[in-house]
Amino acid sequence: AADGKKMSKKLKNYTDPIDLMDKYSADAFRFLMLSSPLTNGENFALADKDVADVSRKLSMIWNMYDFFTLYADVDEWEWNGTLADPAATLHNPLDLWIVARLHQLTADVEERIEAYDIQGALRPILPFVEDASNWYVRRSRRRFWKSEDDADKQDAYRTLHYVLAQLALVMAPFTPFLAEELYQKLTGRESVHLENWPQAGH
């Protein structure tokens, strides 16, 4: 438990995991457990604030999605139906940077999973989410407003859609409910869990 003692119903020194999932989401609880030393058979002190912290960071994904749909709906932007890597046709350094970061994330997660290192696989995910939200979206915000450069705005839409959809694929094994809802909303396809694992750079 958070107090360093063994979890005990008698001592009531922990919050029921079901209550934690009801409050913060099953995905947040699952992500924390998978990224903890438990996956290596080591001890782990479960603290409510850690579940809350993961939940807060995962919510940044929905903030990005809400930002994307807000402006996409206003501009009546329509996805062309392909999830092909857009890097070859992008020009803005922000777009190229976040796509490159996404490719690196995909490769890193795959490498660690192939090595049965679950902790290592999850380690780069939340830093990527923070980069995408705090650096890419925040610094691209003006590009989604009324712009004199419509081509740049279209690139911004294509890039953010691609990043969010690919992120759903990468996160599907770890946050299955979030990934499913996000992917279905972005693509209209049946299920993220029926898709192949994404290849970095494709």
Side-chain angles (χ1 to χ4, degrees):
D3 60 7
K5 298 178 181 178
K6 181 179 179 181
M7 287 184 170
S8 169
K9 289 184 179 180
K10 183 178 180 180
L11 295 176
K12 296 181 180 179
N13 61 344
Y14 68 96
T15 303
D16 188 315
I18 299 298
D19 293 338
L20 285 175
M21 286 187 277
D22 286 342
K23 185 174 182 179
Y24 298 114
S25 85
D27 280 327
F29 187 81
R30 176 187 173 96
F31 192 98
L32 179 64
M33 292 294 100
L34 289 174
S35 60
S36 77
L38 290 171
T39 56
N40 291 333
E42 301 171 12
N43 291 331
F44 174 65
L46 175 61
D48 295 11
K49 65 179 180 60
D50 293 335
V51 185
D53 187 50
V54 172
S55 178
R56 178 185 60 79
K57 290 178 179 178
L58 291 178
S59 71
M60 296 168 72
I61 297 172
W62 288 119
N63 293 341
M64 288 189 285
Y65 172 80
D66 290 343
F67 173 84
F68 169 78
T69 55
L70 174 67
Y71 289 98
D73 288 346
V74 169
D75 287 334
E76 298 183 343
W77 183 84
E78 292 187 6
W79 176 50
N80 63 9
T82 178
L83 287 176
D85 175 17
T89 59
L90 297 175
H91 305 285
N92 191 295
L94 283 168
D95 295 337
L96 292 168
W97 172 74
I98 197 61
V99 169
R101 282 282 284 113
L102 177 67
H103 292 166
Q104 187 62 57
L105 172 70
T106 305
D108 289 346
V109 172
E110 181 175 357
E111 179 184 3
R112 291 296 86 213
I113 284 295
E114 290 288 343
Y116 298 97
D117 177 9
I118 299 177
Q119 272 186 275
L122 270 70
R123 194 170 295 122
I125 292 178
L126 294 182
F128 173 83
V129 171
E130 292 183 10
D131 276 355
S133 177
N134 293 332
W135 288 92
Y136 178 73
V137 171
R138 188 169 293 180
R139 282 153 184 76
S140 294
R141 192 176 298 271
R142 290 179 179 275
R143 301 170 62 205
F144 292 88
W145 300 345
K146 186 174 182 180
S147 171
E148 296 178 358
D149 190 344
D150 287 335
D152 182 63
K153 180 190 279 193
Q154 290 299 312
D155 283 351
Y157 279 127
R158 286 194 301 127
T159 299
L160 187 51
H161 183 279
Y162 174 75
V163 167
L164 289 171
Q166 292 294 107
L167 183 60
L169 289 167
V170 171
M171 296 187 67
F174 315 113
T175 56
F177 302 107
L178 182 158
E180 179 79 314
E181 184 177 359
L182 181 64
Y183 193 74
Q184 288 179 347
K185 285 183 173 181
L186 286 167
T187 68
R189 296 180 179 177
E190 184 177 358
S191 174
V192 70
H193 304 294
L194 296 176
E195 302 289 352
N196 293 325
W197 177 257
Q199 290 183 297
H202 291 81

